[in-house]
Amino acid sequence: MATFKEMLQASMKSKDTEEWLDVYFTRPIGLVFTLLWKKLGVHPTVITVLGMILGAAAGWMFWHTELEYNIYGILLMMLSNFCDSTDGQLARLTGKKTLVGRVLDGFSADVTFFCVYFALSMRMMFQNMPGTDMHWGIWIWVMAFMAGIMSHSPQCLLSDYYRQIHLYFLLGKEGSELDKSEEQWKIFKSLPKSSWFFRAFYFNYAKYCATQERRTRSFQRMMGVAKEKYGNPLAMPADIKETFLAGSRPLMKYTNLLTFNMRAIALYIGCVIDMPWLYLLFEIIVMNIMYIYMHREHESLCRKTIKMIEEDNR
């Protein structure tokens, strides 16, 4: 029988793509819940939906200015994150990984933070701007839009893509969820019009993949050059592949920082000190600086890899 440590390792994607806070805190606690859900025969999708409900409830708590409600919000947000960890761990341990489950997992996170941004905007709308006697009014909604739609969304989209790229070259196609928009469009077009749910699903997923591809032009060119020369990007010589992974590995910490943990900590601090606008400002400035750096470095890495492929005479 596998030990807890062995099951914990099996429930993770890879050490390269796991953040230390998740490795030593979120994942172990999530695994305890995972083993309970597994024993009860609960499907991973049920856990995803539960996490979405808990995240929405956390947002409602952050609407209030009282410290007690904000502490409840933090606890609910942490439980929601445990569910987010648990559904993936349960799917990997039980072999119930599905594309619908993965996309639903991302949708759950979107719903959670939509509720958070809405709640924070409602909370601050009639509060005074710092150092003035003017209410935030419409400007807090503008700030929330900049933080959520213009910052949070692309940060998570690109972070997820870079993580899947790394896993693709580290573990192969089976260990990654790197999908092409072209393939998803083909699936969408092949479905009968009566399958409205799956048509809507693949339509949106194809657009999601296409957006990732548009923002990674150098990587798309690298994949094309590798495919043309070796028949398959995974057939690249081991030294070129390892050089790419060595350059990608340091960027994995940014893919983690730009997803949940650092974002959540900033949110907790901003709400507890009753200055939630600081959280929005943190997203717009600090996290976008990290996002721009991560994107620039990854594109530069891809261009260097293209040069190595072109110069390879084997």
Side-chain angles (χ1 to χ4, degrees), residues 64-312:
H64 300 77
T65 57
E66 294 86 351
L67 179 61
E68 180 182 6
Y69 279 97
N70 285 269
I71 291 174
Y72 289 149
I74 291 171
L75 294 175
L76 286 168
M77 198 75 159
M78 290 176 68
L79 287 173
S80 176
N81 189 41
F82 287 139
C83 287
D84 182 58
S85 174
T86 298
D87 58 9
Q89 288 174 295
L90 184 60
R92 284 186 285 276
L93 288 176
T94 60
K96 295 179 179 178
K97 292 171 59 179
T98 64
L99 177 59
V100 173
R102 178 185 170 231
V103 174
L104 181 61
D105 189 45
F107 178 71
S108 172
D110 290 341
V111 170
T112 293
F113 276 96
F114 173 83
C115 292
V116 167
Y117 293 124
F118 180 83
L120 296 184
S121 298
M122 292 298 295
R123 171 177 174 164
M124 291 184 284
M125 192 173 179
F126 299 106
Q127 291 183 354
N128 289 342
M129 294 182 183
T132 74
D133 58 357
M134 293 176 56
H135 288 167
W136 279 99
I138 190 66
W139 293 109
I140 197 59
W141 294 94
V142 173
M143 196 171 178
F145 179 84
M146 292 176 63
I149 303 300
M150 298 179 67
S151 302
H152 183 153
S153 181
Q155 289 164 9
C156 290
L157 179 140
L158 209 58
S159 294
D160 176 61
Y161 197 52
Y162 285 159
R163 193 181 293 119
Q164 299 310 323
I165 289 170
H166 189 86
L167 289 170
Y168 178 77
F169 286 103
L170 180 69
L171 304 175
K173 179 61 178 175
E174 294 303 314
S176 170
E177 295 163 341
L178 187 65
D179 294 316
K180 296 180 180 178
S181 62
E182 183 181 0
E183 294 173 354
Q184 305 310 312
W185 283 122
K186 285 180 180 178
I187 297 173
F188 165 73
K189 292 175 182 177
S190 69
L191 293 170
K193 291 185 178 181
S194 57
S195 300
W196 60 269
F197 173 79
F198 287 104
R199 282 179 63 85
F201 172 83
Y202 279 103
F203 178 81
N204 285 289
Y205 186 58
K207 287 181 63 179
Y208 176 81
C209 294
T211 302
Q212 290 177 319
E213 291 162 2
R214 283 196 301 272
R215 296 185 181 184
T216 54
R217 296 186 184 279
S218 294
F219 172 70
Q220 303 309 320
R221 182 165 172 258
M222 183 192 103
M223 291 290 277
V225 170
K227 184 178 180 180
E228 183 179 348
K229 186 153 190 173
Y230 305 113
N232 186 328
L234 291 176
M236 283 195 304
D239 58 329
I240 297 179
K241 191 186 297 183
E242 185 49 47
T243 300
F244 178 81
L245 286 171
S248 172
R249 197 166 285 118
L251 299 179
M252 290 303 100
K253 65 183 177 183
Y254 293 101
T255 68
N256 290 319
L257 290 171
L258 289 169
T259 46
F260 182 81
N261 287 334
M262 191 167 82
R263 190 186 308 279
I265 291 170
L267 171 66
Y268 300 159
I269 293 172
C271 289
V272 166
I273 64 175
D274 197 21
M275 298 174 69
W277 56 270
L278 282 176
Y279 161 66
L280 301 178
L281 202 61
F282 179 80
E283 276 208 307
I284 295 168
I285 298 176
V286 178
M287 297 191 77
N288 269 333
I289 290 173
M290 289 193 293
Y291 166 79
I292 292 168
Y293 173 79
M294 177 185 71
H295 180 249
R296 186 190 67 186
E297 290 297 302
H298 198 277
E299 288 288 277
S300 175
L301 172 64
C302 292
R303 288 192 292 271
K304 291 175 184 176
T305 306
I306 290 170
K307 189 175 181 180
M308 290 178 65
I309 293 171
E310 291 175 338
E311 293 175 351
D312 180 31

Side-chain angles (χ1 to χ4, degrees), residues 3-65:
T3 64
F4 185 86
K5 186 176 181 180
E6 290 171 337
M7 286 189 288
L8 181 61
Q9 291 297 322
S11 70
M12 296 184 190
K13 294 179 180 178
S14 79
K15 289 183 179 179
D16 286 0
T17 56
E18 295 286 349
E19 190 177 1
W20 70 267
L21 186 60
D22 288 330
V23 171
Y24 297 106
F25 180 67
T26 309
R27 299 301 188 196
I29 294 176
L31 182 57
V32 173
F33 283 107
T34 298
L35 296 175
L36 174 63
W37 300 132
K38 185 180 179 183
K39 188 174 182 180
L40 295 174
V42 179
H43 195 278
T45 301
V46 175
I47 310 304
T48 303
V49 174
L50 175 61
M52 183 164 51
I53 294 170
L54 290 169
W60 187 80
M61 292 295 175
F62 291 134
W63 190 329
H64 300 77
T65 57

